[in-house]
Amino acid sequence: MSTMKIQVYCFATLSGYAPGDGQLDIHEGATPEDVINRLSIPPQDVKVVFVNGRNQGRDVVLKENDRVGIFPAIGGG
Amino acid sequence: MDHTLFVSELKKSAHSGDPYPAAWIGTDTLIRIASGHGLSPLKAQRIAIENRILPERYLRNYPSISFEEHLGLTDARVLIVGLGGLGGTILEILGRTGAGFFILADGDCFEESNLNRQLLSTSATIGQPKAHAARQRLAAVNPFCEAEVVADFLGKKDLPGLFERVDLVVDALGGIEFRPVLMEETANAGLPLVTGFIAGTTGLAGTVYPGGKNPSAFWQGEHGQGAECVLGNVATIVSLIATIQAGEVIRILTGKKSGLADKVFLADLDSMTFDLFEL
């Protein structure tokens, strides 16, 4: 299966799961759900996923060079 | 009510613009004249600005904030829920900028662990109710501002009575638990909500209009499950997000288009990431 490169940003308590340089090689047709699994992020800790700056959910099909932002619950003030 | 005599005295006491671009009057002089005419400082501020005399303390707002926009701020009634890190800095900015009336709500008291980031906390205010410290600070910063204090944690039933007396609600709460309730009830009351939430070095801010999109997905989970419980809250991101929220409040109160409706602003000061996401 051919692969593609995407950019992945993980924030707050999830920052440690981000790939080293932010870049991830993943199979074509992958979704944010696949990215979460691939990075071994506990799925229940993920509350919000943005793709290319839009709130698109976890099952949208990603494309080469897409940017994925992954967030836990955040509520401090 | 006829304020002809007050305005006449005001104009006599005002300074011509030079070296400033607008006519102006000092705070003490304006309040003294107002007192002689039985006017509150805030009412006097409004009449002065109507007559294109700017209280001296706002000269450096001008012309970035016009006379008309200053009237919008003067007439503004803002409920700030939470007077910790975000709320204290938001109040500081809105008070200095010239917003007229505040309801300040927080049931908490300051403790030593607040000192790293909460502007209203000092060694002297440890143990004091945050809401009372907020009112004292506001009075010291800007005597034209009016404020009422609710020194209790708000529940759902408390909100309608407060909402009917304000134009806008600021969500400066700590923790995820009450935020969805505040957001939903604010929308039900037909008011805009300017929200901010942070954890560690990550922070977000957005504006929720009735019927609009909202960032409540960030607040899923049980009490104590927000990332801030693990990472803490540091002063840099607190003050940055508070500033974004205050900027958005000022935009809305001065009649400008919201910059964060249906969006969420992100800042992460560890990776120096800044972005604007569409919800």
Side-chain angles (χ1 to χ4, degrees), chain B residues 177-234:
Chain B
E177 192 177 26
F178 193 61
R179 290 179 185 268
V181 177
L182 180 65
M183 185 193 72
E184 193 175 328
E185 294 301 308
T186 304
N188 288 342
L191 297 175
L193 177 85
V194 179
T195 181
F197 40 104
I198 58 169
T201 59
T202 304
L204 300 108
T207 299
V208 183
Y209 279 95
K213 294 179 177 173
N214 67 70
S216 63
F218 285 95
W219 310 327
Q220 298 172 77
E222 302 299 315
H223 176 63
Q225 288 189 344
E228 66 279 2
C229 300
V230 175
L231 299 174
N233 303 312
V234 298

Side-chain angles (χ1 to χ4, degrees), chain B residues 248-270:
Chain B
E248 177 72 346
V249 171
I250 291 166
R251 285 177 73 97
I252 294 169
L253 296 180
T254 56
K256 295 195 176 95
K257 188 171 179 290
S258 157
L260 295 177
D262 299 332
K263 296 187 174 78
V264 67
F265 168 85
L266 161 77
D268 182 84
L269 295 179
D270 185 38

Side-chain angles (χ1 to χ4, degrees), chain B residues 48-223:
Chain B
I49 295 170
E50 280 172 352
N51 285 276
R52 303 190 76 76
I53 298 168
L54 202 57
E56 184 179 2
R57 64 175 46 245
Y58 305 131
L59 275 171
R60 298 300 285 160
N61 284 348
Y62 187 85
S64 293
I65 300 174
S66 69
F67 278 101
E68 290 70 26
E69 290 167 344
H70 259 296
L71 283 180
L73 287 171
T74 303
D75 293 341
R77 304 170 303 162
V78 179
L79 168 62
I80 303 181
V81 186
L83 295 161
L86 294 172
T89 296
I90 292 166
L91 177 66
E92 183 85 5
I93 294 172
L94 296 181
R96 287 184 187 277
T97 303
F101 173 75
F102 299 90
I103 299 178
L104 305 170
D106 198 320
D108 207 3
C109 293
F110 285 114
E111 49 192 79
E112 191 165 337
S113 66
N114 299 149
L115 287 168
N116 75 320
R117 69 196 185 282
Q118 300 193 13
L119 187 150
L120 295 167
S121 66
T122 67
S123 300
T125 60
I126 299 301
Q128 290 182 14
K130 295 183 179 182
H132 291 163
R135 180 161 60 186
Q136 284 171 12
R137 175 72 181 178
L138 184 65
V141 163
N142 189 344
F144 291 108
C145 297
E146 296 181 356
E148 289 179 23
V149 158
V150 182
D152 292 308
F153 291 109
L154 297 181
K156 187 175 175 179
K157 64 177 176 21
D158 303 315
L159 298 175
L162 299 175
F163 288 162
E164 63 190 25
R165 300 170 54 221
V166 298
D167 310 303
L168 183 148
V169 178
V170 176
D171 169 12
L173 286 160
I176 58 178
E177 192 177 26
F178 193 61
R179 290 179 185 268
V181 177
L182 180 65
M183 185 193 72
E184 193 175 328
E185 294 301 308
T186 304
N188 288 342
L191 297 175
L193 177 85
V194 179
T195 181
F197 40 104
I198 58 169
T201 59
T202 304
L204 300 108
T207 299
V208 183
Y209 279 95
K213 294 179 177 173
N214 67 70
S216 63
F218 285 95
W219 310 327
Q220 298 172 77
E222 302 299 315
H223 176 63

